[in-house]
Amino acid sequence: MSGNPHRLSADWTGRLVDRSRKISFTFDDKRFTAHPGDTLASALLANGVRLVGRSFKYHRPRGLVGIGSDEPNALVTIGVGDKLEPNLRATQVEVYDGLVASSQNRWPSLETDVGAMNSALSRFFPAGFYYKTFMWPQAFWKHVYEPVIRKAAGLGPATTQADPDRYEHAHIHCDVLVVGGGVAGLAAAKAASETGARVILAEETHRLGGSCDIGGGKIVDDAPLEWARSVADDLLASDRVTVMPRTTVISHFDHNYVLMAERVADHNPGLIAAGHPRQRLWKVRANEIIVAAGALERPLTFSDNDRPGIMLASAARGYAKRFGVSPGERVAVFTNNDDAYRTAIQLFEAGVNVPRIVDTRPGPDSSLIDQAKAVGLRMSFGSGIVGVKTVEGGKHIDGIKVAPVRTSGRLGEPEFIPCDAVAMSGGYNPAVHLFCHVGGELVFDDALQSFRPGSTTERLRVVGAANGIFNVQSILEDGFQGGEHAARASLKKRPAKAKLKAPKATQSTEGPLEPIWFVPALGAKNEGNKHFLDFQNDVTAADVELAAREGYRSVEHVKRYTTLGMATDQGKTSNINALGILSDVLDTPIPNVGTTRFRPPYTPTTLGALVGPIRGKLFQPVRRTPIQAWHEVNHAHFEPVGQWRRPYCYLRDGETIKDAVSREVLAVRNSVGLLDASTLGKIEVSGPDAAKFLDRMYTNMMSTLKPGRCRYGLMCSDQGFLMDDGVVVRLSEDRFLCHTTSGNADHIASVFEFWHQTEWPNWKVIITPVTEQWAQIAVAGPNARELLQSLDSDLDLTSDAFRFMDFKSGTLAGMPVRIFRISFSGELSYEIAVPAGYGMGLWDALLTAGERHGVDTYGTEALHVLRAEKGFIMIGDETDGTVTPLDLGLSWAVSKKKADFVGKRALELPEFHRPDRRHFVGLSTHDGNTVLPDGAQAIQINAERTSSPPLGYVSSTYFSPTLNRSIALGMISGGRDRLGQTVHFQAGERMIAAEIVDPVFYDKDGEKQNV
């Protein structure tokens, strides 16, 4: 070795690093050197840094275990200030010059952590102790337990500053998505593209080839890596393939909808300075998906198997082969399978001392074992590590104790073997996470002693090691076959059978592994020893056994009781070992024990990537009507309505908001007013079955509506509660326009689509939201007709020709218009819809023509006062998700003739016909100058001056300039039977008396709107 303590000699450079250049970085304020191509993990290891973190519960010293996204221990914080990002895996952080990294979950330092006292007290913190300890005394929870727990919770610190970096979201489609760029993934992508499919190849790391550089064997008489490089070059050159490195497929949803997180510039701050986004979230819809995510090596469960220097065997040889770094100077190998022998041989060839290969199998025989013997490596068969000698408070290991073992316990005396590192291997688990995200069924493979993919209803194939296949020749064949089948299944025009053939490959034969889930330790009943399963959450074999003793049989319950698999690595290395131990304790086969559910995301993902550009002003984009600029210039006071900002009122010099609202209300009542109603939801429903469809969606009949007529309609949820209302217009025989409330348009469109797609998919209906395609202006007041008649038009606007609830289309002021004679104010009113591009022009024309009438513009508050005077309901005011049309006195709008509609059966329930349900009523205060508080609860005071329980509440309350008194609407228990009664409302220190009256305060017979 030369240079850094654990950097291998120049003859073993590491294929991913540039040894000719040096860069510097800091870890916990100490400066170190690295080479371009290093990860933070490999650079720390090269510099002799073995202690990289502390465990969550016991704060035990921890070192590197893995080499990829399965790493449970080496969680670090990167950056400072507003660039601070916690909980990154050091194995995936690419070192760049000036990188600042720090360890986590320790105080005051990593070397000296006060929290380590938890390890000494571990017998008092078994699994589930928090469920028992923090229950008593109850008063301690708020002032003692909770503050301490909150302070101890979490891993790395989150920045309190705004993130200055940019994140993007992007949408993309493909015929075939290949997840994983190893041998299987490359073979599948090559076959799919050559069959004619458009392919995306997503690879989590920055390189292609997967584990082919450390797996051994040959492809076409050459190293597998050479074949991988050749195929990668072909794919990069293909116009049908998009290769995406540094891209993790984090989630797989129904119908092959996939999320991929691309780390665009995490490895190079210069890219961010040049304007690139830091990360990008891809939203992918794929016809077919091929999962070639490989497999994850599992550790062995033995005493103190969490000590720094003990890592997975595949990781040890990966650090050597890829980065030219050894995990130690004397590296023992502990295994129950042949693959770890590759690690021993490669480390030996790199000049590392391998003092012993400890194999739990009593008599293994394979060509790999013969190779190890040939180079002179010593082996102990039928043995296991029964103890680990540590130094410096457990921060380093100095040797291991090895003894013969059997499944029934330890036999023979232990032998001490000096070493400073251990490479362990308990076999491999196929990476089934994405397969399981959409409910894929797993099967247990006895040869692997692990679960692998079984059946799925998705258009998804799993190939290679992810499918439980580990022979190179079989991996190639599986990948080529999967790629071709996926391409052929995804293409509408099936191509001719391609002449694709997997290349020939050779590989050393491997003998079978021997499952061993627990290696006993020295000492009576293993007391004082810890056999770790979940490294990050400090879950031990004893914890799983305790859970079983305490009655937990379901693996999901054991998971929650012990926190097994609930850390940031989601149990990637720990789950199968835990299942094996639980299986032994319950005396139940592992397949019967089952597995916990894997959930997205596959690896922790930054909130920045998930949020993307949807933050700040874009968190909820503000929608603008075509007339918005005019409102802003003319002193509109705005209020939010869904994503819109609507004029609440228009303020003139010296006016208060109350003055402005009163002026606008009186303008409509006495002459004419204009309202920008463009935000009103508009959904066109067309097709031969449109009328039948709307009959199901609305409570009243729409199929009997004649073309050119309008009808007010109600929509209920399937529970019978009023969801929305609005005017439906029959534009032609098979085309309807449905108006909704401004804030509900998108929701109602999705409700329409839901019922169409799930219940009546064969009906010929097209649902088209058109809200922003039209500007809409309400012209309301006694002079509304005269104003419109003063403009050039091809329409007859006289009362006889254009009745209330009529619809006409034509031209007005030279513009194409749809005019609906409908009213939400109770006055003569027209709503004029014009293509959005004409909106401002029509507004100006109406203002100019209306000058002789003293036209005024009015906002949403005046609109609300006008409708309340008329006793019209407002969705969101009079409705709260528990109100039915019957409660609102709208039974006339609920058809008795229709066989069915959404909510019909619910509305027939006796519960909705109880006489004491809250009814929609008017409320007239005894003092007309007193306005009731919005939402105030109604009570009744009897002769003894005692009050009743609340009878209901105020739903809308205003001062009416038309009536020159206060008015209110409310929901009162049995309200329709209480007309004339007095109820009281608490307003601060005083009680306000009001009479329950009819909700229509103005023009009850509708003479004004029908004129």
Side-chain angles (χ1 to χ4, degrees):
M1 299 183 186
S2 62
N4 300 126
H6 288 177
R7 190 75 73 175
L8 297 172
S9 65
D11 295 333
W12 198 274
T13 59
R15 70 179 188 86
L16 298 182
V17 296
D18 180 2
R19 293 280 280 266
S20 66
R21 295 164 50 209
K22 285 187 176 182
I23 54 178
S24 66
F25 69 97
T26 62
F27 179 69
D28 283 350
D29 298 324
K30 295 180 181 178
R31 186 166 296 279
F32 299 95
T33 60
H35 298 296
D38 265 321
T39 64
L40 180 58
S42 68
L44 289 173
L45 199 57
N47 282 277
V49 178
R50 301 184 188 223
L51 177 61
V52 295
R54 293 276 179 169
S55 64
F56 179 71
K57 183 176 174 183
Y58 297 135
H59 286 247
R60 285 170 67 101
R62 291 287 166 78
L64 292 164
V65 169
I67 198 171
S69 61
D70 57 339
E71 171 58 40
N73 288 341
L75 297 182
V76 296
T77 296
I78 300 297
V80 295
D82 57 9
K83 296 282 189 179
L84 192 76
E85 183 177 357
N87 304 330
L88 293 176
R89 294 157 296 286
T91 52
Q92 292 186 300
V93 174
E94 298 176 54
V95 176
Y96 54 82
D97 198 35
L99 174 75
V100 177
S102 56
S103 57
Q104 303 181 160
N105 196 44
R106 80 290 185 275
W107 185 84
S109 70
L110 184 60
E111 288 286 338
T112 306
D113 180 16
V114 172
M117 70 176 64
N118 288 356
S119 185
L121 301 173
S122 61
R123 67 170 53 239
F124 301 107
F125 303 136
F129 78 96
Y130 28 80
Y131 296 122
K132 307 164 187 174
T133 307
F134 303 128
M135 299 296 290
W136 181 90
Q138 189 174 4
F140 271 38
W141 173 254
K142 183 176 180 180
H143 301 291
V144 179
Y145 297 144
E146 185 178 20
V148 171
I149 292 171
R150 286 193 179 278
K151 193 169 184 179
L155 294 169
T159 181
T160 57
Q161 302 177 34
D163 188 344
D165 295 328
R166 186 164 60 88
Y167 301 83
E168 289 183 350
H169 284 181
H171 296 259
I172 193 170
H173 296 74
C174 64
D175 296 320
V176 179
L177 169 65
V178 179
V179 183
V183 169
L186 291 171
K190 179 179 175 66
S193 63
E194 291 185 2
T195 307
R198 294 176 299 113
V199 178
I200 294 175
L201 174 61
E203 166 54 41
E204 186 175 40
T205 68
H206 69 284
R207 58 184 182 80
L208 297 176
S211 61
C212 73
D213 56 341
I214 61 174
K218 291 185 177 182
I219 301 178
V220 196
D221 299 326
D222 210 341
L225 184 59
E226 297 305 315
W227 176 87
R229 284 171 172 163
S230 175
V231 174
D233 289 342
D234 292 341
L235 295 176
L236 289 166
S238 173
D239 58 2
R240 284 197 295 268
V241 180
T242 301
V243 179
M244 301 181 67
R246 298 186 177 92
T247 302
T248 305
V249 178
I250 58 173
S251 307
H252 179 206
F253 302 103
D254 293 335
H255 310 298
N256 279 355
Y257 179 63
V258 168
L259 294 182
M260 308 193 309
E262 180 186 9
R263 302 181 301 280
V264 179
D266 280 350
H267 63 292
N268 185 354
L271 292 175
I272 295 177
H276 292 268
R278 183 174 162 218
Q279 295 179 0
R280 184 181 291 117
L281 187 73
W282 290 91
K283 303 177 181 182
V284 186
R285 186 74 72 174
N287 291 341
E288 298 283 331
I289 294 178
I290 296 176
V291 176
L296 304 170
E297 192 170 24
R298 57 181 181 253
L300 287 164
T301 309
F302 58 95
S303 178
D304 287 335
N305 59 337
D306 67 322
R307 295 304 189 185
I310 302 175
M311 68 171 55
L312 296 172
S314 60
R317 71 176 183 266
Y319 285 116
K321 197 84 170 179
R322 295 169 187 162
F323 305 103
V325 175
S326 171
E329 297 181 358
R330 295 170 296 168
V331 184
V333 175
F334 184 24
T335 184
N336 67 348
N337 64 85
D338 280 3
D339 184 71
Y341 284 81
R342 293 191 176 94
T343 298
I345 293 168
Q346 288 192 10
L347 290 176
F348 177 79
E349 291 175 349
V352 179
N353 182 359
V354 181
R356 188 71 56 90
I357 301 175
V358 182
D359 194 329
T360 61
R361 297 172 296 179
D365 182 26
S366 71
S367 60
L368 279 169
I369 296 175
D370 292 340
Q371 291 177 42
K373 290 177 179 177
V375 297
L377 294 177
R378 293 185 61 192
M379 303 162 205
S380 295
F381 296 124
S383 301
I385 297 177
V386 296
V388 175
K389 181 185 176 184
T390 62
V391 293
E392 297 185 33
K395 298 170 188 174
H396 299 281
I397 68 172
D398 195 41
I400 55 176
K401 294 179 180 179
V402 176
V405 296
R406 296 291 184 271
T407 55
S408 60
R410 178 174 60 84
L411 300 175
E413 288 302 315
E415 175 189 2
F416 179 76
I417 300 173
C419 63
D420 61 351
V422 174
M424 59 180 170
S425 176
Y428 284 85
N429 303 324
V432 298
H433 303 68
L434 292 175
F435 177 82
C436 292
H437 282 181
V438 285
E441 296 291 332
L442 300 177
V443 296
F444 191 74
D445 189 311
D446 288 321
L448 297 177
Q449 285 295 297
S450 183
F451 287 92
R452 61 175 177 80
S455 61
T456 179
T457 57
E458 290 292 315
R459 297 175 64 176
L460 176 147
R461 293 168 171 80
V462 185
V463 299
N467 196 30
I469 299 171
F470 291 89
N471 175 270
V472 177
Q473 182 65 55
S474 299
I475 289 173
L476 287 166
E477 292 171 355
D478 197 32
F480 269 87
Q481 185 181 54
E484 182 180 357
H485 286 181
R488 293 175 64 80
S490 68
L491 298 173
K492 292 182 179 179
K493 185 178 180 181
R494 298 292 174 88
K497 184 73 173 177
K499 294 182 179 179
L500 300 174
K501 195 173 182 181
K504 291 295 181 183
T506 58
Q507 189 178 21
S508 301
T509 58
E510 295 185 26
L513 66 77
E514 177 186 85
I516 182 165
W517 309 118
F518 181 84
V519 180
L522 296 172
K525 299 181 181 179
N526 299 314
E527 193 168 327
N529 297 289
K530 291 195 178 297
H531 300 68
F532 284 92
L533 299 170
D534 187 313
F535 292 104
Q536 192 177 124
N537 274 357
D538 280 332
V539 181
T540 66
D543 291 330
V544 172
E545 293 171 348
L546 175 64
R549 288 200 306 273
E550 296 199 355
Y552 292 93
R553 296 293 183 266
S554 165
V555 66
E556 291 285 6
H557 292 163
V558 171
K559 170 182 176 179
R560 282 153 182 80
Y561 188 69
T562 64
T563 70
L564 176 79
M566 295 173 67
T568 60
D569 66 330
Q570 296 189 54
K572 289 182 174 65
T573 59
S574 62
N575 276 355
I576 293 296
N577 286 341
L579 291 176
I581 290 172
L582 188 60
S583 168
D584 289 343
V585 174
L586 299 178
D587 194 24
T588 302
I590 292 178
N592 294 346
V593 173
T595 63
T596 55
R597 180 173 293 276
F598 297 108
R599 293 181 174 88
Y602 174 68
T603 56
T605 306
T606 64
L607 292 175
L610 297 177
V611 172
I614 308 170
R615 62 177 182 170
K617 291 183 177 180
L618 295 178
F619 176 70
Q620 187 177 43
V622 175
R623 301 165 76 176
R624 299 170 60 87
T625 76
I627 309 169
Q628 189 81 10
W630 188 94
H631 301 321
E632 293 171 359
V633 170
N634 286 274
H635 313 294
H637 178 71
F638 292 99
E639 70 165 338
V641 180
Q643 291 182 323
W644 306 94
R645 297 295 179 268
R646 297 190 69 181
Y648 182 87
C649 64
Y650 299 86
L651 291 169
R652 294 180 180 174
D653 290 342
E655 278 189 332
T656 65
I657 290 177
K658 180 181 177 181
D659 293 338
V661 172
S662 295
R663 169 179 50 78
E664 293 170 6
V665 169
L666 293 175
V668 174
R669 291 288 182 227
N670 297 325
S671 182
V672 64
L674 303 184
L675 172 79
D676 182 3
S678 304
T679 63
L680 197 68
K682 310 170 196 70
I683 304 169
E684 288 199 10
V685 179
S686 58
D689 295 318
K692 181 168 62 172
F693 175 76
L694 292 180
D695 274 351
R696 293 289 177 89
M697 299 310 303
Y698 285 87
T699 62
N700 46 344
M701 295 286 286
M702 294 301 168
S703 57
T704 58
L705 189 62
K706 296 184 182 302
R709 290 288 288 169
C710 309
R711 182 169 293 162
Y712 175 71
L714 305 176
M715 282 174 279
C716 286
S717 67
D718 50 0
Q719 292 89 12
F721 300 122
L722 186 60
M723 183 170 56
D724 204 74
D725 69 346
V727 172
V728 177
V729 185
R730 193 161 194 168
L731 302 174
S732 62
E733 193 63 34
D734 61 355
R735 191 178 180 196
F736 292 78
L737 174 65
C738 303
H739 290 101
T740 75
T741 52
S742 294
N744 241 2
D746 294 339
H747 173 64
I748 296 302
S750 68
V751 168
F752 280 5
E753 285 288 0
F754 170 82
W755 286 99
H756 179 217
Q757 292 183 32
T758 60
E759 298 299 320
W760 311 297
N762 296 325
W763 288 7
K764 297 177 180 178
V765 177
I766 298 174
I767 299 160
T768 310
V770 295
T771 299
E772 290 176 284
Q773 277 64 50
W774 297 88
Q776 195 145 318
I777 301 170
V779 183
N783 293 323
R785 182 182 294 117
E786 191 175 342
L787 189 159
L788 296 186
Q789 287 177 327
S790 69
L791 296 170
D792 291 336
S793 178
D794 59 358
L795 297 173
D796 185 350
L797 299 174
T798 61
S799 178
D800 292 338
F802 204 163
R803 299 167 297 161
F804 183 60
M805 300 303 276
D806 269 356
F807 150 72
K808 292 183 182 296
S809 60
T811 62
L812 185 70
M815 299 172 227
V817 294
R818 292 172 170 176
I819 304 182
F820 317 101
R821 191 177 160 190
I822 54 181
S823 179
F824 196 51
S825 62
E827 298 293 336
L828 171 65
S829 178
Y830 301 85
E831 291 200 10
I832 309 168
V834 63
Y838 291 95
M840 192 62 238
L842 179 61
W843 184 264
D844 284 338
L846 290 168
L847 285 173
T848 302
E851 287 179 357
R852 58 189 290 263
H853 301 289
V855 69
D856 204 351
T857 55
Y858 65 102
T860 56
E861 185 64 4
L863 176 68
H864 293 169
V865 175
L866 291 165
R867 68 92 189 174
E869 292 173 345
K870 280 293 294 178
F872 295 151
I873 69 161
M874 174 74 76
I875 298 295
D877 285 2
E878 279 65 53
T879 64
D880 63 358
T882 66
V883 175
T884 74
L886 312 181
D887 301 333
L888 296 169
L890 298 175
S891 56
W892 57 266
V894 179
S895 174
K896 310 294 189 298
K897 300 177 181 178
K898 288 198 294 186
D900 201 7
F901 58 82
V902 175
K904 177 179 173 64
R905 276 162 284 186
L907 290 175
E908 294 171 349
L909 293 172
E911 166 67 22
F912 289 155
H913 296 268
R914 286 192 351 254
D916 62 341
R917 281 187 65 84
R918 290 175 177 173
H919 297 157
F920 177 55
V921 296
L923 299 166
S924 179
T925 56
H926 290 183
D927 177 4
N929 292 317
T930 301
V931 179
L932 287 170
D934 201 3
Q937 296 291 308
I939 57 174
Q940 216 165 21
I941 300 177
N942 56 28
E944 288 75 29
R945 305 303 294 172
T946 58
S947 61
S948 69
L951 299 174
Y953 58 90
V954 176
S955 58
S956 299
T957 178
Y958 308 97
F959 185 85
S960 164
T962 307
L963 306 174
N964 195 31
R965 63 158 293 121
S966 69
I967 61 172
L969 303 171
M971 301 297 297
I972 302 295
S973 176
R976 287 193 286 271
D977 298 324
R978 294 177 181 269
L979 295 180
Q981 294 184 13
T982 295
V983 290
H984 292 78
F985 299 87
Q986 186 82 41
E989 297 297 322
R990 64 191 183 118
M991 298 290 288
I992 302 174
E995 182 183 347
I996 300 175
V997 298
D998 188 284
V1000 182
F1001 293 94
Y1002 173 80
D1003 188 28
K1004 183 172 178 59
D1005 295 329
E1007 294 177 0
K1008 299 283 188 178
Q1009 68 188 21
N1010 292 319
V1011 66

